[in-house]
């Protein structure tokens, strides 16, 4: 695979700028939630590096589930398009 998981998900949001991805991952037995919008990722649980070249989703992360939401994201009233998509199913949609 040429692109990391993070790069694939960020590229998806560049192609579909009206969507926000909420990605739940497990890294070293700890859960994290990553929000991805228009090619940029930010952790909702951990600190996010200032350097955009440092991936928010490490290569050893396990994708637990992905939610597709309509942009703009409103935390008080999120507009879900699809919830709890497996990484395998989402990968198929990328091709």
């Amino acid at each position: 695979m040429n692109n990391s998981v993070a790069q694939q998900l960020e590229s998806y949001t560049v192609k579909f700028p009206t969507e926000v991805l909420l990605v739940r991952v497990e890294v070293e037995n700890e859960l994290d939630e990553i929000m991805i919008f228009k090619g940029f990722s930010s952790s909702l649980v951990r600190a996010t590096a200032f350097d955009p070249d440092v991936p928010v989703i490490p290569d050893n992360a396990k994708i637990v589930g992905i939610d597709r939401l309509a942009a703009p994201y409103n935390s008080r009233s999120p507009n879900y398009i699809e919830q709890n998509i497996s990484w395998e199913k989402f990968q198929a949609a990328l091709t």
Side-chain angles (χ1 to χ4, degrees):
M1 174 166 62
N2 292 348
N3 290 334
S4 71
V5 170
Q7 290 171 325
Q8 291 177 59
L9 294 170
E10 288 171 350
S11 293
Y12 175 88
T13 62
V14 169
K15 291 178 188 173
F16 298 96
T18 60
E19 290 187 27
V20 176
L21 297 179
L22 181 59
V23 183
R24 289 173 305 287
V25 300
E26 184 179 317
V27 181
E28 299 175 4
N29 296 321
E30 290 188 25
L31 293 177
D32 194 358
E33 288 189 333
I34 315 293
M35 185 150 296
I36 306 174
F37 180 60
K38 291 188 178 180
F40 295 95
S41 299
S42 183
S43 173
L44 301 178
V45 177
R46 301 172 183 241
T48 301
F50 289 108
D51 183 354
D53 292 331
V54 175
V56 176
I57 301 174
D59 290 336
N60 65 336
K62 176 187 173 197
I63 305 291
V64 176
I66 301 170
D67 296 340
R68 294 173 50 225
L69 297 103
Y73 175 72
N74 180 346
S75 62
R76 292 184 182 169
S77 180
N79 185 5
Y80 289 92
I81 299 168
E82 192 173 4
Q83 288 183 276
N84 207 26
I85 308 163
S86 69
W87 172 237
E88 292 75 20
K89 183 177 176 184
F90 199 85
Q91 263 184 311
L94 292 173
T95 57

